[in-house]
């Protein structure tokens, strides 16, 4: 059975830099608070009316495709991970296919909705298709445009300051090279905490889960209306209930535990220990989370790649952006052992181990 190798990588971040000081013009926050809690100094925001999630994805994908030595027409499967899609439906996979000018229809396009762990999930799905022999050139993309939908008032500050826009892409191909490629992955989920980091509206939930959990389910639904009218209500608009919300402390506490557990799982599966890792690329959720994990695993600064200081949390895009940056900086060399790990909304989490 062939393994999957990453044959090409690319990333794209929008030109517009938004500093913590820029955000202070919109909400009650400070550079000191943001840096101290998250390590973030600045992030990028997409160009309004031009740069959508699928457009950013296509920009990263073109670079990955070229570096893989293929043309867009040779891609036979697209996996697109995002929580900020252009449309409710169809997904960004088909929109990016069109943006890339891929007109053949002998291709599949799949959207993955696993938020911060979206790239690990997408990569793992792609890996299975390569191993099964079904596809030969799989384009895996993680991309987000958060800036179009966040709450820029003080009410949304605990979430808004953390997130940025960007995209990363890889091309997966089969390899028969002994010991090379994706060695193993582990995926996890726990729906108990679904609402702790979520954007629940607009949606078809009609308050069902909230009522079951004993939470406030009064979203201004018209009890007399027989059909429709549940996705968006005037109350949601008036009270800012169309934005993401997060229980930051619970996310932080759970993330640090699950990161370490899942990294150890993939390492043990292959008979390695943390000291064997040449480069660890954590999902860029918060610099403090990454530093905690680094310390617990006793990794040196040289073994870890962080870029959240410059881009914020770009959710499904953080790992492929960081990987592409590290590769461009010469930090990813032939034969290196790489570990990716992510945790996020769902809660979902996972890790992947790759011999480059
Ligand atoms: N600027 C200034 N003050 C802010 C703020 C901001 N951007 N956001 C929140 N605050 C305030 C709160 O209102 C609160 O004020 P109060 O004490 O008067 O009520 C105070 O800061 C502390 O808030 P709290 O939420 O307890 O802060 P925290 O120390 O837990 O840090 C996070 C908040 C979000 C940085 C932290 O919990 C975190 O990083 N969690 C993980 C989040 C994450 O990684 N999410 C990505 C998904 S993987």
């Amino acid at each position: 059975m062939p393994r999957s190798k990453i044959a090409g990588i690319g990333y794209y971040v929008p030109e517009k830099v938004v500093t913590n000081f820029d955000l202070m013009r919109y909400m009650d926050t400070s550079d000191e608070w943001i840096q101290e809690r998250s390590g973030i100094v600045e992030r990028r925001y997409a160009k309004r009316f031009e740069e959508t999630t699928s457009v950013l994805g296509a920009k990263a994908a073109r670079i990955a495709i070229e570096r893989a030595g293929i043309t867009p027409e040779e891609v036979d499967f697209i996996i697109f991970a995002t929580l900020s899609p252009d449309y409710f439906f169809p997904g960004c996979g088909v929109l990016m296919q069109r943006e890339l000018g891929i007109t053949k229809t002998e291709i599949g396009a799949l959207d993955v909705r696993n938020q911060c762990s979206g790239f690990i999930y997408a990569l793992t799905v792609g890996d299975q298709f390569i191993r099964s022999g079904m596809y030969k050139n799989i384009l895996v993309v993680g991309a987000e445009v958060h800036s179009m939908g966040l709450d820029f008032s003080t009410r949304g500050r605990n979430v808004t300051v953390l997130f940025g826009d960007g995209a990363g892409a890889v091309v997966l191909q089969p390899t028969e090279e002994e010991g090379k490629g994706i060695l193993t992955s582990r995926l996890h989920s726990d729906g108990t905490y679904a609402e702790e980091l979520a954007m629940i509206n607009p949606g078809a939930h009609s308050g069902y889960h909230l009522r079951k959990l004993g939470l406030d389910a009064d979203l201004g639904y018209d009890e007399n209306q027989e059909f429709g009218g549940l996705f968006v209500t005037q109350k949601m608009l008036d009270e800012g209930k169309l934005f993401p919300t997060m229980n930051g402390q619970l996310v932080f506490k759970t993330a640090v535990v699950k990161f370490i557990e899942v990294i150890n799982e993939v390492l043990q599966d292959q008979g390695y220990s943390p000291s064997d890792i040449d480069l660890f690329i954590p999902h860029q959720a918060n610099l403090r989370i990454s530093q905690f994990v680094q310390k617990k695993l006793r990794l040196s600064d040289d073994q870890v790649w962080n870029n959240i200081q410059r881009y914020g949390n770009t959710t499904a895009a953080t790992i492929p952006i960081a990987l592409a940056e590290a590769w461009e900086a010469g930090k990813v060399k032939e034969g290196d052992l790489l570990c990716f790990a992510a945790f996020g909304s769902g809660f979902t989490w996972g890790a992947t181990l790759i011999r480059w």
Side-chain angles (χ1 to χ4, degrees):
M1 203 193 285
R3 282 207 177 114
S4 319
K5 68 167 183 189
I6 293 182
I9 25 181
Y11 79 100
Y12 174 80
V13 288
E15 273 173 31
K16 188 168 180 55
V17 175
V18 176
T19 65
N20 296 340
F21 294 100
D22 291 329
L23 292 180
M24 286 163 62
R25 301 207 310 268
Y26 298 90
M27 61 188 79
D28 180 12
T29 189
S30 67
D31 177 56
E32 194 190 358
W33 193 98
I34 301 170
Q35 283 211 46
E36 199 181 293
R37 301 293 216 289
S38 71
I40 299 165
V41 179
E42 59 190 38
R43 73 284 292 141
R44 304 295 179 96
Y45 282 177
K47 204 168 185 180
R48 289 162 78 85
F49 312 111
E50 276 181 38
E51 290 185 323
T52 72
T53 303
S54 65
V55 169
L56 298 194
K59 288 186 187 217
R62 278 190 200 100
I63 300 166
I65 288 169
E66 197 187 324
R67 284 178 177 163
I70 59 168
T71 64
E73 285 292 325
E74 287 174 86
V75 171
D76 45 23
F77 196 60
I78 290 170
I79 310 179
F80 200 115
T82 186
L83 68 67
S84 50
D86 294 6
Y87 295 147
F88 206 92
F89 73 84
C92 276
V94 292
L95 296 177
M96 186 183 70
Q97 175 192 359
R98 184 173 67 189
E99 186 72 16
L100 289 171
I102 303 175
T103 52
K104 70 168 185 184
T105 54
E106 293 76 23
I107 180 171
L110 171 74
D111 273 45
V112 165
R113 299 197 40 180
N114 279 71
Q115 301 70 248
C116 292
S117 54
F119 184 75
I120 301 271
Y121 268 75
L123 196 67
T124 307
V125 170
D127 180 33
Q128 298 310 306
F129 276 125
I130 294 281
R131 282 175 189 250
S132 75
M134 186 157 173
Y135 296 117
K136 298 268 177 291
N137 288 301
I138 302 185
L139 179 58
V140 182
V141 173
E144 306 287 354
V145 172
H146 289 302
S147 61
M148 311 261 178
L150 294 168
D151 181 355
F152 283 90
S153 72
T154 295
R155 182 182 55 200
R157 65 184 178 175
N158 69 320
V159 172
T160 300
V161 300
L162 300 178
F163 292 92
D165 304 341
V170 303
V171 172
L172 288 182
Q173 288 176 350
T175 177
E176 301 285 352
E177 256 192 288
E178 192 61 33
K180 294 276 182 72
I182 297 180
L183 305 179
T184 191
S185 297
R186 284 289 183 283
L187 303 176
H188 291 277
S189 70
D190 184 351
T192 316
Y193 305 102
E195 288 75 15
E196 302 290 352
L197 172 50
M199 180 167 154
I200 65 168
N201 304 310
H205 63 87
S206 68
Y208 168 80
H209 306 288
L210 305 178
R211 284 192 299 278
K212 247 182 124 178
L213 293 166
L215 300 172
D216 176 16
D218 178 12
L219 292 167
Y221 301 129
D222 180 351
E223 304 287 338
N224 298 317
Q225 190 173 336
E226 195 177 6
F227 303 118
L230 295 178
F231 272 27
V232 181
T233 64
Q234 193 56 48
K235 182 167 173 151
M236 289 176 193
L237 289 163
D238 294 343
E239 296 184 5
K241 293 187 186 297
L242 289 158
F243 296 116
T245 54
M246 174 176 71
N247 177 347
Q249 295 203 5
L250 179 71
V251 172
F252 197 107
K253 280 185 210 145
T254 317
V256 291
V257 173
K258 297 302 176 192
F259 260 106
I260 290 162
E261 276 178 14
V262 75
I263 292 162
N264 280 326
E265 268 181 67
V266 290
L267 286 171
Q268 280 162 16
D269 180 74
Q270 295 294 307
Y272 292 120
S273 63
S275 59
D276 294 314
I277 297 173
D278 293 297
L279 193 65
F280 170 51
I281 300 184
H283 162 55
Q284 305 288 297
N286 182 322
L287 189 61
R288 308 296 161 235
I289 294 179
S290 299
Q291 287 169 333
F292 187 93
V293 173
Q294 175 180 345
K295 202 168 157 208
K296 280 275 173 200
L297 297 175
R298 297 171 195 254
L299 299 173
S300 66
D301 287 348
D302 206 42
Q303 283 171 286
V304 186
W305 190 272
N306 283 307
N307 61 12
I308 191 168
Q309 302 91 328
R310 289 174 283 124
Y311 303 137
N313 179 348
T314 57
T315 311
T318 69
I319 292 176
I321 293 176
L323 172 65
E325 264 196 355
W327 181 82
E328 286 177 11
K331 281 286 294 176
V332 180
K333 297 176 292 298
E334 183 88 22
D336 278 356
L337 186 68
L338 269 61
C339 181
F340 309 151
F343 175 90
S345 162
F347 293 148
T348 59
W349 62 103
T352 296
L353 208 56
I354 300 187
R355 179 67 71 186
W356 200 260

